[in-house]
Amino acid sequence: MSASATQTSSKAQTAGKRRGTDVLLLQIIGYIVITVLAVFCFVPFLLVVSSSFSEEQSIIENGFQLIPTTFSTEAYSVLFKYPEQMLRAYGVTIAVTAIGTVAGLFLTAMTAYVLQRKDFKWRNQFSFFFFFTTLFSGGLVPWYLMIIKYLHLKDTLLVLILPMLLNVFYIIVMKSFMSSIPEAITESAKIDGAGDFRIFMQLILPLAKPALATIGLFIALGYWNDWYNALLFISNENLMPLQYYLYKMLGNMEGMRKAMMQSGAVVNVSLPTESLKMAMTLVATGPILLAYPFIQRYFVQGLTIGSVKG
Amino acid sequence: MNRNGLLGEIRKNRALLLMLAPAVLFFLVFAYVPMAGIVLAFKQYNHTGGVFGSPWNGLDNFRFFFESGNAWLVTRNTALYNIAFIIVNNVLQITVAILLFEVAGKWFRKIAQSVMFLPYFISWVVVGAIAYNLFNYDVGTINSILTTFGMEPIDIYNTPSYWPVILVIVSAWKTLGYGTVMYLAAITSIDTEMYEAAEIDGANIFQRIFKVTIPNLYPTIIILVLLAIGNIFRGDFGMFYNMVGNNGLLFSNTDVIDTFVFRSLTTSNEIGLSAAVGFYQSILGFATIMLANYAVRRYDKDRALF
Amino acid sequence: MQTKKRSAILLLTIIMMLSIVLTACGGNNNTAGTNNQAANNGAANGAANAGASDTSEEATIKMLLVGGKPADYDQVFGELNKLVKEKINATVEAEFLDWADWSQKYPLKFAANEDFDIVYTANWAFYNDQSLKGGFLELTEDLLSKYAPQTWANMPKVAWDQAKVGGKLFMVPNNNVEITDKVVLIREDLRKKYNLEPVTSPETYAAYVKAIAANEKGINAFQAKAADGWKWHELDQIMLEQQNEWNLVDYNFPLAYKMDDATGKVFNVYDTPEFKQLLAYYKDLADNNGWSRNVVSNKNDVWQDIKAGKAASYAQNIGTVAANIMEATRENVGIELAIADLTPDKKKISAISTQNGLAIHATSKNVERSLMLIDLLQNDKQIHDLSMYGIAGTHYEAVGEDKYNAGPSAANYSPSGFSAWGWNSALNRQDAAYPKVADDMFNTWTSKVYHFPLETFVFDDSKVKNEVANIGNVMLRYAIPLEYGLIKDLDKGQADLIAQLKSAGIDKVQTELQAQIDAFLAAQK
């Protein structure tokens, strides 16, 4: 199926690229604008990479530099001082991201599907019910109490997954994407006697691939980058996800300096904080950058509704 | 609607309701039950009383914010910044998504799209540090360049008027890849038959973009903008704090509700005070989104949020 | 459509009410639990008071400490537990709130009434706040003299008095002489290079700053640390407080009294001729490029800048500056540093005892044993050494009775890693490499410590919380740029600052503060 899909979409694109000054003009504009923006996005990242391989001393003296004058892997050796901890942190993050994304994406899609069904009488009421939670919140304390005192989730892997399982923003965007799937599909299936859940699983999910890829990416990024839930609920070193592990490493040094000044105690820490910050960015981003091209094809080339129908 | 009717409706929709149940349960547990904590905005919290037993103190918790003389300034700044972010970011993301979809080179598209995602991964702390390297007066990159060309250096950190522009650019830069993905997904969902039909009508590529692609993006645009509007009174703390920090000279142009409250409350740990401001932001956001949603409903009820 | 919306809102209201009721029940249970526990404690105390302290049943004491968990925690606390078990039939378990996030977690631990007995606290670590909210157990004379008798005997009365909040004591403060006076770390080699007088006063310091600013390109003569919410010029403690012998009641608002003023009259420091003079002094330095124009936006670590030769002075407490010198010597960085005391002849104030301390959680079930443990931590030489410096020969090498050298694996259990400062006492050891100049300077200071009636006064800001919050904001926004010379017209800037403070409610704070001080002084007579 995917072969025919790519074929159709590339056909659609070649059809759009017939010779003509308009097409040529658009191509020129497109290449220029995108190249400029891409450079704009790339240079700061390059700065991060090269600074992470610089000596701390040279950063302090000369600031961040695109082309490092000195080469050093000091920051990385500090980060990987305890390699088994780092590996475990990667493991936790990967597990949480994988489980959370699959579960979250499934529930998001299922919820969104119901909310966009035009024959579902209470869809607006439920939409409002969900949306309302983005406006009002009881703040940190009651939420914390809920998770610690009533759900007893402290120091469990579940606490890293559960609170982020669903996000109203994603549900609503998914709902909007799904509403472009022709209603006729649901209707004809119903006439054939299929149940709502089966329609969702067998007909809608396959058709919603671009939306699933997009929202799935966002959910995964959310899990990957989260450190706040770990901050609040994890004190067991074996359950620390990567971002929190990194956050702690840097925050500990800065927090210690500050506390010591206030308490009158002696400040005596010296670590390459600047290059460390940069190296952390790379360590945390690396795996995503490696994985990205594999999921990218879903929304750059895309499976289109039209192609499946045709 | 009588009871039988309601029960009947429930029975008729039971599969759909069951499919909604996990989400409903989730938001009940993680959002609605803790939402009761809103009462803290009207209480003088202590541990013996807890969330519900602590004594009421009326509107006292709101006083510090409204009597500061800055409530209007920071509320306005928050809203204006968010409006600017919504417009600039969305226009840019849509443009880039369309161009990415149209350009021919497959590898170019892939690489460009990945590269544009990079800023998303750079934390605000690091962005702030890079910005300081660019902007600082003595050795900043921008001033080094200016002085080598014999121009006067500019004192960015002491000049408030530069900052709205800087912040809008930084926000656009950071969200570009993320937002583009969303619009790209929407574009790839457009039925290709529509393009073919447009071509048969003899439309050139620009007409096709404006007549087919963009109108087909309206639902996505409306939804994303509506979602953003609900949060128009919440400032992006990480961004403002790491870019501006505690530089008082810039506050007139850069202070948003969240940074103002953070600074005010660093010394006291009153849960009630932050709850009060949070409540204020919620009420404003609620009013705005109800109006916006109402407006959209009047135009097309299928496009509204609820 | 209308009815639909109305029913949606109805549904929502019902759900919200439901949730309120649900949590309300939960909440009530909770508070009931708390009260019961408190009552139990009372009963336990009563029972214990009747007889000798009963340690027949083994207890586990949970400690909540601030800072990173030491790598050799298991080893050191294992040793510690052997001793503690033998002495008071208890074992200790410590939970560490990392420096990165302790300030977020700390209040939540109390709000959720989690299970812990002893907790680190300090005037900068929620002491007043949690005392007023009922997070700590009140420590009565009875309890202390009975279960922490050595501490009770060894601690000066001033220290206990300083730790009182609203007349009640909630903390066992550390027992350690500290002086909070700030000094300036300077580049001695540069001073010699330009043939400058020794830096011992604001004037000689100004000369130093100007000489470096004029002659050394690429060096900031003075540098402030990265902004973290501090509301003053970093030299203010020296130039304003120490120089004028004032005492700022609280660094969150600009109200002070003169140390030798027996009436304790409070005034706004920004509205004084001394401040006006100081502004001119700062402006002069700023105009001579004494510090970077972006000093308030600085994001770099000052000490790293000094080490790299990019900054030539900063203000800090003497212990930190001494540590900097130790580090520079150790790493042989090729610059010569010196400690400059700009106010050598002025009166010194000893640090308030609540800089560090330990408190007991309000709902602790092991009150007596916790106090006994604190007593041991502060006063038992063996336990103090072990808990502070780790295992002798591994983490530290004892040098005589009161000094130490870092041991081979000092990094895995170091006195600067976490808040072991909570039980600082006369038994503390000093790093043998501590620079003698710093030590000598400190010793001359101790002879100049000035005692005055208000030194035990602590302001209770609960009635003026709103005003204090707003004043802090005004200081950041108007005072700091003015002091760093970023505002051209000093008179107008100062007038603006004072006007803004007035509208933020400084008068109300001043009235409240004066009333509390008057009442405090009256009670002392």
Side-chain angles (χ1 to χ4, degrees):
Chain A
M1 191 179 87
S2 88
S4 81
T6 7
Q7 218 176 21
T8 335
S9 72
S10 63
K11 194 177 70 194
Q13 269 162 10
T14 38
K17 273 153 205 154
R18 264 182 218 140
R19 66 241 133 244
T21 46
D22 59 329
V23 177
L24 190 67
L25 186 62
L26 186 77
Q27 292 293 321
I28 292 170
I29 295 175
Y31 276 105
I32 291 175
V33 170
I34 289 173
T35 307
V36 168
L37 288 173
V39 167
F40 200 51
C41 291
F42 186 64
V43 169
F45 196 81
L46 193 63
L47 203 63
V48 170
V49 176
S50 64
S51 301
S52 76
F53 287 106
S54 292
E55 268 175 27
E56 184 72 4
Q57 195 69 9
S58 89
I59 297 180
I60 291 168
E61 277 166 27
N62 311 314
F64 305 124
Q65 288 179 310
L66 271 182
I67 301 132
T69 44
T70 55
F71 180 82
S72 154
T73 52
E74 190 195 359
Y76 291 92
S77 45
V78 170
L79 277 181
F80 286 95
K81 194 176 166 201
Y82 303 105
E84 67 291 352
Q85 283 185 24
M86 190 66 130
L87 281 180
R88 199 158 44 218
Y90 267 120
V92 170
T93 294
I94 291 169
V96 164
T97 305
I99 302 169
T101 307
V102 171
L105 187 58
F106 175 74
L107 288 176
T108 302
M110 188 163 77
T111 311
Y113 172 67
V114 178
L115 291 181
Q116 64 82 44
R117 279 272 297 259
K118 298 224 165 53
D119 58 334
F120 180 52
K121 194 174 160 134
W122 298 302
R123 66 180 197 283
N124 276 329
Q125 284 86 336
F126 276 107
S127 295
F128 185 75
F129 171 84
F130 294 131
F131 184 70
F132 191 76
T133 62
T134 66
L135 295 170
F136 288 87
S137 113
L140 179 59
V141 172
W143 186 72
Y144 181 83
L145 287 177
M146 181 71 177
I147 289 169
I148 289 274
K149 286 261 142 180
Y150 298 96
L151 302 175
H152 302 288
L153 289 178
K154 199 188 169 199
D155 268 334
T156 58
L157 212 52
L158 207 57
V159 83
L160 297 175
I161 297 172
L162 213 49
M164 294 175 66
L165 201 54
L166 284 170
N167 176 321
V168 176
F169 180 80
Y170 301 151
I171 295 178
I172 291 175
V173 173
M174 181 71 97
K175 170 186 149 189
S176 145
F177 280 146
M178 280 186 170
S179 50
S180 68
I181 297 174
E183 276 172 80
I185 292 177
T186 295
E187 274 158 30
S188 61
K190 276 185 101 168
I191 292 165
D192 293 345
D196 292 313
F197 187 69
R198 234 187 79 198
I199 298 175
F200 166 70
M201 290 296 284
Q202 295 185 342
L203 295 173
I204 303 298
L205 278 186
L207 286 180
K209 268 192 191 159
L212 290 175
T214 311
I215 300 296
L217 173 73
F218 292 163
I219 295 177
L221 288 176
Y223 276 113
W224 187 272
N225 288 328
D226 175 58
W227 47 268
Y228 194 64
N229 284 321
L231 181 158
L232 291 175
F233 304 116
I234 299 290
S235 53
N236 178 348
E237 287 99 347
N238 296 331
L239 291 176
M240 278 179 194
L242 181 68
Q243 296 280 5
Y244 180 57
Y245 181 74
L246 298 176
Y247 166 86
K248 255 180 50 155
M249 211 184 262
L250 189 68
N252 268 345
M253 288 183 278
E254 287 170 354
M256 198 194 305
R257 282 206 184 110
K258 199 174 156 186
M260 286 180 172
M261 281 172 205
Q262 283 165 312
S263 74
V266 171
V267 178
N268 197 0
V269 270
S270 175
L271 280 168
T273 45
E274 294 305 318
S275 50
L276 201 59
K277 269 181 214 165
M278 302 302 175
M280 282 176 181
T281 308
L282 221 64
V283 164
T285 315
I288 298 221
L289 292 184
L290 292 179
Y292 194 69
F294 297 100
I295 42 169
Q296 194 187 27
R297 62 197 194 96
Y298 288 106
F299 33 80
V300 174
Q301 289 171 320
L303 267 174
T304 64
I305 308 285
S307 66
V308 175
K309 242 179 23 179
Chain B
M1 194 192 291
N2 64 33
R3 185 168 293 182
N4 265 344
L6 184 64
L7 279 179
E9 279 292 335
I10 290 175
R11 201 169 304 129
K12 199 180 98 194
N13 287 310
R14 73 173 180 275
L16 292 179
L17 286 171
L18 265 176
M19 287 165 78
L20 271 185
V24 171
L25 188 70
F26 176 88
F27 286 104
L28 273 180
V29 170
F30 287 101
Y32 279 98
V33 174
M35 208 182 277
I38 286 176
V39 294
L40 284 173
F42 307 94
K43 290 197 161 210
Q44 171 84 44
Y45 179 82
N46 66 52
H47 294 311
T48 357
V51 175
F52 294 96
S54 297
W56 297 95
N57 67 353
L59 295 176
D60 261 15
N61 291 335
F62 292 82
R63 275 184 40 218
F64 93 93
F65 184 66
F66 291 102
E67 287 174 8
S68 67
N70 285 306
W72 162 242
L73 174 83
V74 295
T75 307
R76 191 200 62 186
N77 281 353
T78 313
L80 288 179
Y81 270 112
N82 279 322
I83 291 169
F85 294 159
I86 292 172
I87 295 171
V88 173
N89 295 356
N90 280 296
V91 168
L92 194 66
Q93 289 156 11
I94 294 166
T95 314
V96 170
I98 293 174
L99 290 176
L100 265 183
F101 186 74
E102 298 290 346
V103 293
K106 189 176 146 202
W107 281 101
F108 178 79
R109 261 185 299 163
K110 278 199 159 187
I111 292 168
Q113 208 244 340
S114 308
V115 164
M116 283 193 268
F117 225 113
L118 291 175
Y120 172 83
F121 293 106
I122 306 178
S123 69
W124 282 121
V125 174
V126 173
V127 175
I130 294 177
Y132 182 69
N133 258 268
L134 279 178
F135 298 153
N136 85 63
Y137 185 79
D138 315 299
V139 290
T141 314
I142 290 181
N143 280 334
S144 305
I145 295 170
L146 285 179
T147 42
T148 34
F149 286 102
M151 284 185 274
E152 280 296 298
I154 48 175
D155 196 356
I156 296 174
Y157 280 106
N158 293 330
T159 318
S161 57
Y162 292 135
W163 284 84
V165 181
I166 291 173
L167 291 168
V168 167
I169 291 175
V170 170
S171 170
W173 169 79
K174 192 114 166 36
T175 52
L176 180 61
Y178 196 89
T180 303
V181 165
M182 200 123 48
Y183 284 113
L184 259 182
I187 294 175
T188 49
S189 306
I190 296 172
D191 198 333
T192 40
E193 282 169 15
M194 289 186 173
Y195 291 129
E196 283 150 24
E199 251 169 70
I200 291 162
D201 291 347
N204 74 24
I205 197 157
F206 293 99
Q207 286 165 327
R208 206 193 70 200
I209 287 171
F210 284 99
K211 296 264 166 58
V212 180
T213 314
I214 293 179
N216 273 294
L217 286 179
Y218 283 157
T220 314
I221 298 173
I222 290 171
I223 287 292
L224 291 178
V225 170
L226 274 179
L227 284 168
I229 281 176
N231 285 318
I232 203 169
F233 291 100
R234 293 184 199 277
D236 182 344
F237 178 81
M239 167 175 178
F240 285 93
Y241 189 73
N242 284 300
M243 292 296 293
V244 180
N246 284 319
N247 185 347
L249 284 176
L250 306 179
F251 287 166
S252 58
N253 284 21
T254 61
D255 217 8
V256 292
I257 298 177
D258 304 73
T259 47
F260 176 79
V261 170
F262 173 80
R263 281 202 319 276
S264 304
L265 300 185
T266 41
T267 50
S268 77
N269 173 47
E270 287 302 316
I271 306 170
L273 299 187
S274 47
V277 178
F279 188 65
Y280 164 76
Q281 290 174 300
S282 296
I283 293 286
L284 287 180
F286 183 68
T288 320
I289 194 68
M290 287 316 258
L291 276 174
N293 192 59
Y294 174 75
V296 173
R297 274 194 89 87
R298 297 223 13 196
Y299 152 78
D300 179 352
K301 80 178 169 65
D302 285 335
R303 298 272 166 263
L305 279 178
F306 41 82
Chain C
M1 217 68 285
Q2 271 307 40
T3 50
K4 259 192 186 173
K5 195 159 255 172
R6 210 171 295 150
S7 57
I9 289 169
L10 189 72
L11 178 76
L12 205 71
T13 325
I14 291 170
I15 288 165
M16 273 186 78
M17 275 167 60
L18 201 74
S19 63
I20 288 177
V21 171
L22 268 173
T23 23
C25 294
N28 282 342
N29 287 342
N30 224 7
T31 39
T34 315
N35 291 340
N36 279 343
Q37 277 174 12
N40 284 343
N41 283 336
N45 296 344
N49 281 345
S53 39
D54 173 23
T55 56
S56 58
E57 205 174 312
E58 190 183 342
T60 306
I61 298 168
K62 291 193 177 154
M63 275 179 109
L64 198 57
L65 295 173
V66 177
K69 186 176 179 181
D72 286 349
Y73 164 83
D74 289 335
Q75 208 186 336
V76 175
F77 271 64
E79 286 296 312
L80 180 69
N81 277 335
K82 282 184 206 153
L83 297 174
V84 175
K85 179 91 176 53
E86 185 186 310
K87 294 200 165 144
I88 56 172
N89 193 23
T91 47
V92 190
E93 261 174 36
E95 182 180 349
F96 293 85
L97 301 182
D98 274 306
W99 288 125
D101 45 35
W102 72 276
S103 59
Q104 299 176 68
K105 278 178 162 174
Y106 191 97
L108 288 171
K109 294 265 169 196
F110 285 90
N113 192 20
E114 286 179 41
D115 180 23
F116 56 89
D117 302 297
I118 299 179
V119 53
Y120 175 82
T121 184
N123 53 0
W124 52 274
F126 300 105
Y127 178 54
N128 273 21
D129 182 54
Q130 291 298 340
S131 300
L132 293 169
K133 285 198 181 116
F136 302 135
L137 184 82
E138 187 192 346
L139 301 175
T140 59
E141 201 177 319
D142 234 26
L143 276 175
L144 286 169
S145 57
K146 194 162 186 79
Y147 300 111
Q150 299 184 67
T151 313
W152 181 244
N154 294 344
M155 186 91 62
K157 188 172 178 305
V158 171
W160 292 119
D161 286 343
Q162 281 177 330
K164 281 185 179 161
V165 176
K168 292 181 180 171
L169 182 72
F170 297 95
M171 175 205 267
V172 181
N174 71 158
N175 184 2
N176 198 21
V177 186
E178 275 183 70
I179 293 170
T180 43
D181 269 33
K182 293 279 188 284
V183 291
V184 176
L185 181 70
I186 60 163
R187 285 279 299 272
E188 184 70 1
D189 48 349
L190 291 181
R191 185 189 69 78
K192 286 180 188 153
K193 181 174 167 192
Y194 296 107
N195 268 326
L196 300 165
E197 275 180 68
V199 177
T200 53
S201 64
E203 293 73 35
T204 47
Y205 179 64
Y208 169 83
V209 167
K210 286 188 205 168
I212 288 174
N215 298 308
E216 294 282 337
K217 285 283 153 266
I219 298 187
N220 286 316
F222 167 85
Q223 178 68 287
K225 61 177 188 279
D228 58 359
W230 179 246
K231 301 178 178 72
W232 302 83
H233 189 299
E234 297 222 341
L235 291 168
D236 275 350
Q237 281 158 298
I238 297 171
M239 304 289 184
L240 205 57
E241 266 193 298
Q242 292 165 212
Q243 178 70 9
N244 297 314
E245 300 186 338
W246 293 346
N247 190 25
L248 280 158
V249 181
D250 185 327
Y251 287 116
N252 294 315
F253 48 82
L255 296 174
Y257 51 81
K258 294 194 170 77
M259 276 160 66
D260 55 5
D261 177 4
T263 60
K265 193 173 170 329
V266 171
F267 55 89
N268 179 351
V269 297
Y270 292 148
D271 205 357
T272 58
E274 287 87 346
F275 183 70
K276 197 174 253 321
Q277 256 176 16
L278 182 61
L279 282 182
Y281 175 89
Y282 283 152
K283 181 76 179 147
D284 179 41
L285 292 184
D287 290 347
N288 283 292
N289 299 318
W291 49 73
S292 154
R293 288 164 77 146
N294 295 147
V295 68
V296 284
S297 300
N298 178 37
K299 287 191 189 282
N300 301 335
D301 185 67
V302 187
W303 166 234
Q304 298 298 333
D305 274 359
I306 292 182
K307 236 166 68 175
K310 292 195 62 176
S313 69
Y314 86 125
Q316 194 35 287
N317 62 47
I318 193 166
T320 304
V321 169
N324 290 159
I325 293 181
M326 278 155 68
E327 186 181 325
T329 320
R330 199 168 58 232
E331 293 177 12
N332 214 353
V333 287
I335 52 172
E336 193 188 339
L337 297 166
I339 304 174
D341 179 3
L342 306 188
T343 58
D345 305 320
K346 303 291 176 179
K347 299 187 176 80
K348 305 289 171 194
I349 309 180
S350 62
I352 187 164
S353 65
T354 52
Q355 288 272 88
N356 290 298
L358 295 175
I360 312 260
H361 189 200
T363 57
S364 161
K365 288 169 216 122
N366 296 308
V367 176
E368 300 117 52
R369 221 73 67 88
S370 298
L371 282 169
M372 289 177 197
L373 177 66
I374 295 176
D375 211 29
L376 291 175
L377 287 172
Q378 270 207 12
N379 301 293
D380 184 295
K381 178 82 180 155
Q382 210 182 351
I383 289 183
H384 187 80
D385 273 346
L386 184 61
S387 59
M388 279 262 177
Y389 311 104
I391 294 163
T394 310
H395 304 110
Y396 77 102
E397 317 274 0
V399 178
E401 276 304 293
D402 59 352
K403 290 210 162 52
Y404 76 96
N405 272 324
S409 50
N412 294 337
Y413 197 96
S414 111
S416 58
F418 68 100
S419 61
W421 326 309
W423 54 95
N424 276 337
S425 74
L427 298 176
N428 275 19
R429 292 171 180 273
Q430 192 184 43
D431 191 326
Y434 196 79
K436 190 168 174 308
V437 271
D439 216 22
D440 291 347
M441 190 176 277
F442 187 81
N443 289 334
T444 51
W445 286 5
T446 42
S447 64
K448 286 185 194 128
V449 168
Y450 182 72
H451 291 285
F452 52 104
L454 280 173
E455 82 181 312
T456 60
F457 171 77
V458 179
F459 181 53
D460 169 12
D461 68 354
S462 51
K463 280 190 200 146
V464 288
K465 276 232 136 76
N466 295 320
E467 287 75 14
V468 171
N470 287 327
I471 288 168
N473 242 322
V474 169
M475 290 167 73
L476 280 174
R477 183 163 168 191
Y478 294 94
I480 287 192
L482 179 66
E483 291 193 272
Y484 280 110
L486 298 169
I487 288 167
K488 285 207 181 70
D489 186 342
L490 291 185
D491 291 333
K492 188 174 167 300
Q494 193 184 5
D496 275 353
L497 170 62
I498 293 168
Q500 289 289 338
L501 281 172
K502 285 231 186 298
S503 63
I506 188 119
D507 293 339
K508 192 173 165 195
V509 179
Q510 188 166 352
T511 315
E512 174 67 22
L513 175 61
Q514 192 67 62
Q516 287 186 25
I517 284 184
D518 291 348
F520 180 85
L521 290 173
Q524 283 214 325
K525 276 176 192 147

